[in-house]
Amino acid sequence: MFYDCIVVGSGNAGSCAALSAKENGCQKVLLVDKCSPDWVGGNGYFTAGAFRTVHDGLDDLLPIVQNVTPEQANRIDLDPYSREDFIEDIMRLGGRRSDPSLAASVVDGSRDTIDWLAGHQVPFILSFHRQAFEVGGRQKFWGGLVLSVEGGGKGLITAEHLALAKAEVDIWFDCPVVSLLMRNSTVTGVVVRRDGSELSIQSRAVILAAGGFEANSELRIAHLGMGWEKAKVRGTPFNTGDCFAIAQGVGAKTIGDWASCHSTTWDFNAPDIGDRDLTNQFTKSGYPLGIMLNANGERFVDEGEDYRNYTYARFGKAILLQPEGFAFQVWDSKMIGLLRKEEYGDEIVEKVFAGTIEGLAQKLSKIGLVDQVRFIETVQVYNAAVTQHKLENPNWHWDPAVKDCLSTHSTHLSELSPSKSHWAESIDKPPFMAVKVCCGITFTFGGLAIDPVSAAVLSESGPIPGLFCAGEMVGGLFYNNYPGGSGLSAGAVFGRKAGVSASKCQGL
């Protein structure tokens, strides 16, 4: 059996790779995934469908989005997001450790890839519900991220797989890859397990897009450390790292931050693995509007350090490291109405209400709060710091769409530790609300070394002929943190590059 190209993984990166290979000349393309059809889409299915891209502002994006009327367009504030902006976000959040050539490759390919996906009927929208606040009657976008897909990850995967069907890409589910076929140091196909038997399939090119190891508790402990077995898996249970070992078996070089991952604030009552119906709704990213306290009643992060989409991917780890591995998010009535309904709707999350902070602490003690007195003191000290800052800066105003500098800093009180750097409002107007959150792991950062132009997998001596990689299996791009929306963009960019490169392989 022969295919021009075989892609491993049915998520966003694998789908883009298969589409790209097909349209660039591969006549027969096969996509395989070890999951059943009910789990199609990998982690991409569980995302909010957000794509970070370079753009020149609203007029540049209006032709590709489907949810903006001319009247609405006149009430939108949306700044351009430059190449320099995007690269700087990747580099600064990665502590300057990210491979500059990989970052540049993603950034430089981002805008054209958005157009390419739109051409394959991916329904892009402006992300009013996640990335904009209404301020003074205008929709103000923030944090550099403005695009998402109608229907989120579900809509993305549906659109991409409709395109795969139209392109006549063959897809085999329940079909794990066992090994790679090699001849003269060139990858010439795969061995898969299908219907209980091993089957060898020859191919001129193989593209690995099988995700990271976040669903493998043993590998999480081995690479991330003890305690990570307690993290809830936000997405697919099939990302268990198998293909890393398979690639290493043919000499692939591993690279990047194997000790870190994308981990976010997640509903404590969510299932241990991703829910195909609620998917991303278990995210609890409203913490910049309030504060987070651990079981001992203490704050442990600067909730206003940066825009939410620059902090949410590492605050899950901060929660995991707290006593018992959970925390409480707390707001008063001034902020409750601003929380996103898809994350904090009554049918989504268990909410704890009280008319006083003392009453809230008492109720939370029944679900894990250990020190009620410390909880109350923390809120009181926080409120005093916020009030003092406002007294010293009477002309400053709260604005959730900019870094407003409303903080806990003042000259007359001892510095809070941790401080809150932006969006600091007192928590003093009842009713008060809290939700219990934990760590949700999304994807791991360590992976395979690739060439940033061709997406070819590298060995210690150079590219491995016939082998390419895209998506969460790529290492060296993200370290410790990442800019929200850049994961799907990177998967699509390198998937597309891998497909082009696969079409040029001559085989043996």
Side-chain angles (χ1 to χ4, degrees):
M1 185 175 296
F2 176 82
Y3 279 88
D4 295 295
C5 178
I6 298 172
V7 179
V8 184
S10 66
N12 169 62
S15 297
C16 290
L19 284 171
S20 176
K22 188 75 174 184
E23 70 184 19
N24 281 283
C26 290
Q27 297 299 308
K28 295 182 63 179
V29 176
L30 173 66
L31 188 152
V32 300
D33 201 317
K34 68 177 180 179
C35 72
S36 68
D38 291 340
W39 284 90
V40 62
N43 274 348
Y45 185 90
F46 295 89
T47 69
F51 280 79
R52 184 173 290 263
T53 182
V54 170
H55 63 83
D56 291 329
L58 182 62
D59 290 342
D60 181 25
L61 298 175
L62 284 177
I64 63 168
V65 296
Q66 304 182 3
N67 65 331
V68 181
T69 66
E71 181 183 12
Q72 287 175 311
N74 291 327
R75 294 186 288 108
I76 294 173
D77 294 329
L78 190 160
D79 294 331
Y81 188 64
S82 69
R83 177 182 191 271
E84 292 72 25
D85 293 334
F86 196 168
I87 290 178
E88 173 59 17
D89 280 341
I90 293 175
M91 298 305 293
R92 73 179 176 87
L93 293 182
R96 307 291 168 187
R97 297 171 66 196
S98 298
D99 184 327
S101 62
L102 287 177
S105 189
V106 170
V107 171
D108 292 338
S110 62
R111 184 64 184 85
D112 186 54
T113 296
I114 293 295
D115 284 336
W116 178 75
L117 286 169
H120 282 290
Q121 309 307 308
V122 171
F124 286 106
I125 59 174
L126 287 187
S127 188
F128 294 108
H129 61 305
R130 297 185 61 83
Q131 291 298 139
F133 286 106
E134 185 172 341
V135 179
R138 300 187 65 79
Q139 290 287 337
K140 295 178 67 174
F141 282 84
W142 47 270
L145 178 60
V146 299
L147 284 182
S148 60
V149 175
E150 181 69 41
K154 296 177 184 178
L156 171 66
I157 296 302
T158 295
E160 289 180 339
H161 277 257
L162 285 173
L164 290 172
K166 184 177 180 180
E168 298 183 338
V169 171
D170 291 343
I171 303 178
W172 294 358
F173 291 105
D174 299 304
C175 187
V177 172
V178 176
S179 62
L180 294 169
L181 297 174
M182 294 287 289
R183 183 181 174 191
N184 297 335
S185 301
T186 297
V187 171
T188 59
V190 299
V191 178
V192 300
R193 186 175 297 110
R194 194 182 192 205
D195 298 328
S197 300
E198 290 191 0
L199 174 67
S200 295
I201 312 171
Q202 301 290 328
S203 179
R204 289 189 288 133
V206 174
I207 302 173
L208 300 178
F213 61 83
E214 68 278 354
N216 186 323
S217 61
E218 293 182 357
L219 288 181
R220 290 204 304 271
I221 293 172
H223 292 292
L224 304 178
M226 293 298 297
W228 278 97
E229 71 277 8
K230 300 175 184 177
K232 292 181 184 287
V233 177
R234 287 185 57 191
T236 175
F238 294 95
N239 283 8
T240 52
D242 311 35
C243 282
F244 288 130
I246 290 171
Q248 287 178 279
V250 299
K253 176 183 176 182
T254 59
I255 198 171
D257 188 1
W258 285 77
S260 291
C261 62
H262 177 315
S263 61
T264 191
T265 52
W266 200 242
D267 194 315
F268 182 84
N269 297 312
D272 290 338
I273 61 171
D275 183 297
R276 296 283 289 185
D277 293 323
L278 295 179
T279 59
N280 193 61
Q281 290 179 270
F282 287 121
T283 299
K284 297 293 170 278
S285 59
Y287 55 83
L289 302 175
I291 58 176
M292 289 198 291
L293 303 93
N294 63 21
N296 292 335
E298 299 170 331
R299 291 177 57 247
F300 54 94
V301 294
D302 179 347
E303 302 91 345
E305 172 189 325
D306 206 333
Y307 292 115
R308 183 266 310 164
N309 55 17
Y310 295 134
T311 60
Y312 80 110
R314 64 180 176 83
F315 276 5
K317 177 181 178 180
I319 293 171
L320 186 73
L321 295 177
Q322 298 310 300
E324 305 303 321
F326 66 81
F328 299 104
Q329 296 180 342
V330 178
W331 309 266
D332 72 359
S333 62
K334 299 191 297 293
M335 297 298 167
I336 292 173
L338 293 176
L339 297 173
R340 291 204 295 270
K341 298 299 186 293
E342 65 267 30
E343 295 181 9
Y344 293 96
D346 291 341
E347 71 283 3
I348 303 300
V349 64
E350 179 184 1
K351 304 173 184 177
V352 180
F353 287 96
T356 64
I357 290 297
E358 292 79 7
L360 187 67
Q362 185 175 19
K363 288 186 175 182
L364 294 180
S365 70
K366 298 177 182 179
I367 57 172
L369 178 63
V370 174
D371 193 333
Q372 296 183 52
V373 173
R374 181 59 178 154
F375 180 95
I376 295 166
E377 289 177 347
T378 297
V379 176
Q380 290 173 339
V381 171
Y382 168 80
N383 284 345
V386 171
T387 299
Q388 184 61 39
H389 175 85
K390 286 186 173 182
L391 289 173
E392 295 179 11
N393 302 278
N395 296 322
W396 295 12
H397 301 287
W398 188 82
D399 187 339
V402 299
K403 293 182 181 179
D404 62 6
C405 295
L406 283 186
S407 72
T408 57
H409 305 295
S410 70
T411 59
H412 289 79
L413 292 177
S414 298
E415 183 68 22
L416 278 188
S417 182
S419 62
K420 186 172 182 182
S421 299
H422 302 282
W423 314 298
E425 276 286 345
S426 56
I427 299 175
D428 56 7
K429 184 177 180 181
F432 304 97
M433 187 181 94
V435 302
K436 190 175 182 179
V437 294
C438 64
C439 172
I441 185 169
T442 308
F443 65 89
T444 45
F445 290 158
L448 302 182
I450 68 165
D451 176 82
V453 176
S454 66
V457 174
L458 303 178
S459 69
E460 293 292 345
S461 59
I464 299 175
L467 186 61
F468 306 90
C469 180
E472 295 166 7
M473 287 191 69
V474 173
L477 179 60
F478 303 129
Y479 284 79
N480 188 53
N481 195 8
Y482 95 132
S486 54
L488 288 178
S489 295
V493 168
F494 285 127
R496 195 178 176 202
K497 289 177 178 292
V500 171
S501 298
S503 70
K504 299 176 181 178
C505 288
Q506 300 300 315
L508 290 175

